[in-house]
Amino acid sequence: MNAPLSTHGIGRNGNMSTVESDQFVMASHALPGGALGGNALAQDVRFVVSHGKGPRFWDTSGNEYIDYVLGSGAMFLGHAHPAVQQAVAEQAGRGTHFFAYLNQPAVELARRVTPLLRCAERIRFTTSGSDSTFHAIRLARGFTGRDKILKFEGAYHGTHDYAQLSTSPKRSSNFPVAQPDTAGIPAAVQELMLVAPFNDLDALRSILDTHGHEIAAVIIEPIQRIISPLPGFLAGVRELTARHGVVMILDEVVTGFRYGLGGAQDYFDVVPDLATYGKIIGGGLPVGAVAGRADIMDQADPARKGQPGYVYQNGTLQGHPLGCAAALAVLDVLSEPGLYPRVFAMADKLRAGIREVAERNGMGLVVFGDGPMWHFLFAEAPPVNYGDILRTDMKRQAALETEMIRQGLFVLPNNRRFISITHTDDDLAQTFEAFDRACRAFKAV
Ligand SMILES: Cc1ncc(COP(=O)(O)O)c(C=O)c1O
């Protein structure tokens, strides 16, 4: 079904279709918490998606939303992009899957993408961002012969045990001790992870001076969730890791192909040893990648199996032909001249408009963000580290964001948001009206 179901404009009209209420009942029986993953919305704003097109989607009750979650940032091209649809349909006709053996779209993707990424002497495709960070960590351990990994407080690197530490602790850490985010992580794993505050080179220097000899890698998001790096921070991390023989893993799962074809490496002028990818490149299909130095990546050469230093890196679905065909279409679209300046300018307009509405309503919000990501917090200044976010009123934040969903703007409470290349001035105008309604409703409570 492609045609919009509703004619009443964006926002929820309060009437739930019997189709949607039946779907909630089925979901609540079959799925833990009635959810597909870690995110669930409040009862009165939850919905079941019917279909999407460009920057919008519709639920099975016919409500229309402007999407700023965008598949957790994967749908930079918007929903149901014709080039991606066509590439996937054509490849599906030639075969869906051949195990992680060489196939035409995957080889072509490797050829096209490697020259775009500054650190990429070699690339290995994976099936998700988590898959990418997990394998990058193993490669770093294999290469250095060291076990410990340092990450930054508040950074998200996926779902595996090495990633689910100090991602969203309730209290700031006693650095460098890591705090588990979930039950089920062995204490032995927790002890292998060290944590540092983002944007603080002195803290990193001091941890590396003490523990550098046992640390295999520093893994870092160039823009940590909603926090931009201070000038010189990424260069400092590069310099300190090199000095201690520590592999620098730049987690570009969010920034890759969003801040230009060369991602954050170009945008911030930093070249790590390894970089990890996911989200945008697959156009919504499961494609990720680890890219980096040949001497580190070549540990995963199958010809080295059985030899000391061989690192196992594999997956049934990796180099997936459908995903790689979609990725080639994504690259074609992203290579159109002027595309990035256009989406950056649209994001500037979005931030300016949201700021204007917030100020008019006396909301006390700071509106910020770099390029195609935008945020606001109940604070006076953008955050510099995770502790700054902890000090904001996240309950009020979630209440305002829930009101935005009611008004037809899909944002995830207490999460980051994105803009796609398909958002237009009309979408922004409707966004500002809806945000104004959300602010007024929020103040009225
Ligand atoms: C920076 C970063 N790394 C890794 C991941 C994990 O990616 P995935 O959800 O595809 O496993 C995410 C997901 O949001 C991410 O934002």
Side-chain angles (χ1 to χ4, degrees), residues 72 128-130 133 156-158 221 225 251 253-254 279 416:
S72 188
S128 69
S130 300
T133 57
Y156 186 85
H157 300 293
E221 288 185 86
R225 322 310 292 154
D251 183 349
V253 170
V254 166
K279 300 203 192 274
R416 26 166 214 193

Side-chain angles (χ1 to χ4, degrees), residues 295-306:
D295 54 353
I296 304 178
M297 297 293 296
D298 284 347
Q299 296 177 103
D301 174 352
R304 290 171 65 168
K305 221 174 259 183

Side-chain angles (χ1 to χ4, degrees), residues 71-74 127-133 155-160 163 219-225 250-255 258 276-279 286-288 415-416 418:
S72 188
T127 51
S128 69
S130 300
D131 209 5
S132 304
T133 57
Y156 186 85
H157 300 293
T159 53
H160 51 81
I219 185 165
I220 178 168
E221 288 185 86
I223 296 173
Q224 185 179 291
R225 322 310 292 154
L250 196 67
D251 183 349
E252 291 236 47
V253 170
V254 166
T255 51
R258 194 180 312 278
T276 51
Y277 296 88
K279 300 203 192 274
V287 181
N415 215 307
R416 26 166 214 193
F418 302 94

Side-chain angles (χ1 to χ4, degrees), residues 14 43 102 162 187 193 201 205 225 263 294 296 300 314 330 362 364 379 395 403 441 443:
Q43 290 275 332
L102 296 176
Y162 305 119
M193 295 299 298
L201 280 180
R205 189 176 295 110
R225 322 310 292 154
I296 304 178
N314 205 1
V330 169
K395 277 205 179 126
E403 196 52 56
K443 287 190 296 181

